[in-house]
Amino acid sequence: MFEDAVRFSLDKIRKNADDFSDSFLSDESHGYVYSRNTECVGWTEGFWPGMLWLAYEFTGDEKFKLTAHELDKLLCRRIYERRGTDTHDLGFLYTLSCVAEYKITGNENAKNVALEAAELLIRRFHEKGQFIQAWGSLEDKANYRLIIDCFMNLPLLFWASEETGDIKYADIAKKHFYTAAGCVIREDFTTYHTYYFDPDTGKKLKGVTKQGYSNDSCWARGQAWGIYGTALAYKYIGDKNIAELFDGITECFFGHLPEDGIPYWDMIFTEGDEPRDTSAAAIAVCGMLEMNRHIKSEKNMDRCIKMMQALKDRYLTDNRSNGILKEGMYSKPDGSKSECNVWGDYFYFEALMRLNVPDWKIYW
Ligand code: GLY
């Protein structure tokens, strides 16, 4: 399916594997060309090896495997050195690098590093409030909050319990999931980006945006994290209430799309000249395809195909860019512009994998 899009993406990844064999793609491209990221302290470094693992699975070409392995070694070093590990994004980082490597090659070192990342992640769980703190020091009261994106960090914990037989990781993942679902998902199935708790009592305080338009609007990528996050939670927990949340969030997402079917950066906008966020579309497609493995929905399958078609027809880059999808949006309130971003490219390519290899063994 979408054979030309697969070829197009693989060509970009093959070229990038030469240019970025010892560095990551910059968090965001500041336009449509990625520069080198050698620091490895952000939240996005897992996406590039993740894309390379997918490319290896698509083609069997050893070059992709070797490059992904070298990059994973840089992420291993980050764990050994405890550099930039003060974050919930350990799930994003290590699921698509070390967990993927372990699942594909059986590399024990990659497995052990990913387990260490899971161990660090559960230390961010607050009994008071029953949630995993997103950012910053655990002592910092101003950071006593969770964010919707964290749904995507939970598979690392479910995987760690499956690997070790120790339920402590999955227990925390479940507790966090239900706390987050109970506060970031509003009655009408729009979502808050972040949610604060009282550090002294654990009481729920208020929803606040960081990357959306306003506290009571609905940041498009947050809504997409909600779609994929509930699909993955359903895979691991199997609670039918989670399937209902998935349905609500998904219907809401599709109820707020502009005419061409690709969301603006915040779902408060449904027409006009606001920038899009193509990465939100790619994430939503992966989430619907995941849910479709558990509960079949022709309607959602059809939506996936239409969205992928729209991305292919209007939102792929040209030869001047080393990225794949254009018109992603990192954080408009922080001054980001339309760009390629590495997670948008990753999820687009994952969606292509899911469509072409329906029993693909997911990294999440
Ligand atoms: N997880 C950060 C973002 O979606 O921008």
Side-chain angles (χ1 to χ4, degrees):
M1 264 179 151
F2 296 105
E3 220 178 288
D4 42 354
V6 173
R7 223 178 6 252
F8 174 86
S9 305
L10 275 171
D11 284 349
K12 298 274 187 184
I13 294 168
R14 189 168 282 111
K15 172 82 175 51
N16 284 341
D18 289 331
D19 297 343
F20 299 87
S21 60
D22 57 356
S23 71
F24 299 90
L25 310 182
S26 48
D27 272 15
E28 45 183 332
S29 61
H30 304 289
Y32 292 119
V33 179
Y34 289 112
S35 53
R36 288 161 65 80
N37 158 17
T38 49
E39 286 187 343
C40 192
V41 289
W43 72 279
T44 61
E45 285 88 351
F47 294 112
W48 175 221
M51 255 188 277
L52 289 160
W53 286 118
L54 289 172
Y56 173 60
E57 294 206 86
F58 256 121
T59 62
D61 185 337
E62 291 283 316
K63 174 194 166 95
F64 293 127
K65 176 173 148 184
L66 293 174
T67 310
H69 174 66
E70 288 306 313
L71 293 166
D72 286 357
K73 285 203 305 208
L74 299 178
L75 278 153
C76 291
R77 191 136 41 94
R78 175 167 168 176
I79 285 286
Y80 304 143
E81 293 171 5
R82 299 286 191 270
R83 185 163 30 86
T85 50
D86 209 5
T87 168
H88 71 153
D89 288 320
L90 294 163
F92 276 112
L93 289 162
Y94 289 90
T95 302
L96 300 180
S97 55
C98 293
V99 174
E101 174 158 0
Y102 172 61
K103 286 185 176 174
I104 295 167
T105 70
N107 182 318
E108 283 289 317
N109 189 51
K111 173 179 111 176
N112 290 333
V113 167
L115 287 176
E116 219 171 312
E119 200 61 46
L120 293 176
L121 182 52
I122 57 171
R123 290 192 201 154
R124 299 188 67 76
F125 182 73
H126 286 296
E127 285 295 336
K128 264 192 213 152
Q130 300 278 294
F131 71 96
I132 295 170
Q133 183 180 314
W135 302 310
S137 150
L138 296 177
E139 278 70 52
D140 177 6
K141 292 191 170 187
N143 258 319
Y144 211 74
R145 65 172 158 180
L146 58 78
I147 73 172
I148 192 166
D149 322 26
C150 189
F151 285 151
M152 301 301 290
N153 291 314
L154 304 181
L156 178 71
L157 301 182
F158 288 115
W159 167 82
S161 277
E162 282 174 4
E163 273 309 313
T164 59
D166 187 337
I167 59 161
K168 70 178 176 185
Y169 308 99
D171 264 356
I172 285 180
K174 275 189 210 162
K175 284 179 181 159
H176 175 91
F177 176 80
Y178 285 112
T179 303
C183 58
V184 293
I185 305 171
R186 303 184 186 109
E187 290 255 306
D188 63 357
F189 294 106
T190 60
T191 51
Y192 288 114
H193 180 191
T194 88
Y195 210 93
Y196 277 101
F197 295 76
D198 183 324
D200 298 319
T201 63
K203 198 168 147 267
K204 288 176 186 149
L205 289 181
K206 58 179 176 187
V208 169
T209 201
K210 170 82 171 75
Q211 287 161 253
Y213 176 77
S214 65
N215 289 346
D216 54 5
S217 72
C218 180
W219 178 48
R221 194 159 63 256
Q223 192 78 7
W225 293 138
I227 294 173
Y228 203 173
T230 48
L232 288 167
Y234 184 77
K235 163 182 154 65
Y236 285 107
I237 305 174
D239 168 359
K240 71 173 177 17
N241 294 316
I242 300 178
E244 282 171 19
L245 291 177
F246 167 88
D247 284 340
I249 299 172
T250 304
E251 288 310 316
C252 177
F253 185 80
F254 279 88
H256 290 79
L257 292 180
E259 212 172 308
D260 82 344
I262 301 300
Y264 290 107
W265 66 282
D266 190 296
M267 307 204 97
I268 201 167
F269 305 111
T270 52
E271 55 184 12
D273 294 331
E274 287 294 324
R276 311 275 168 163
D277 182 10
T278 52
S279 74
I283 294 161
V285 169
C286 289
M288 287 186 286
L289 292 174
E290 175 59 33
M291 197 57 164
N292 220 47
R293 289 180 167 199
H294 312 289
I295 301 174
K296 293 262 170 269
S297 160
E298 267 184 42
K299 183 175 167 190
N300 282 344
M301 196 62 202
D302 192 48
R303 285 168 162 169
C304 288
I305 303 293
K306 288 204 175 104
M307 206 162 235
M308 290 298 281
Q309 191 68 44
L311 289 174
K312 180 177 95 69
D313 290 346
R314 289 188 293 282
Y315 293 97
L316 292 183
T317 55
D318 61 29
N319 289 340
R320 289 167 295 182
S321 173
N322 56 10
I324 298 172
L325 271 189
K326 59 184 183 182
E327 301 196 35
M329 173 55 65
Y330 186 13
S331 180
K332 186 138 189 304
D334 293 313
S336 303
K337 303 266 185 272
S338 259
E339 63 196 5
C340 291
N341 49 45
V342 62
W343 57 92
D345 288 359
Y346 170 82
F347 286 105
Y348 182 67
F349 200 44
E350 183 187 301
L352 290 171
M353 171 62 88
R354 284 177 173 278
L355 287 169
N356 282 285
V357 186
D359 61 350
W360 171 65
K361 194 170 165 202
I362 72 167
Y363 308 154
W364 302 99

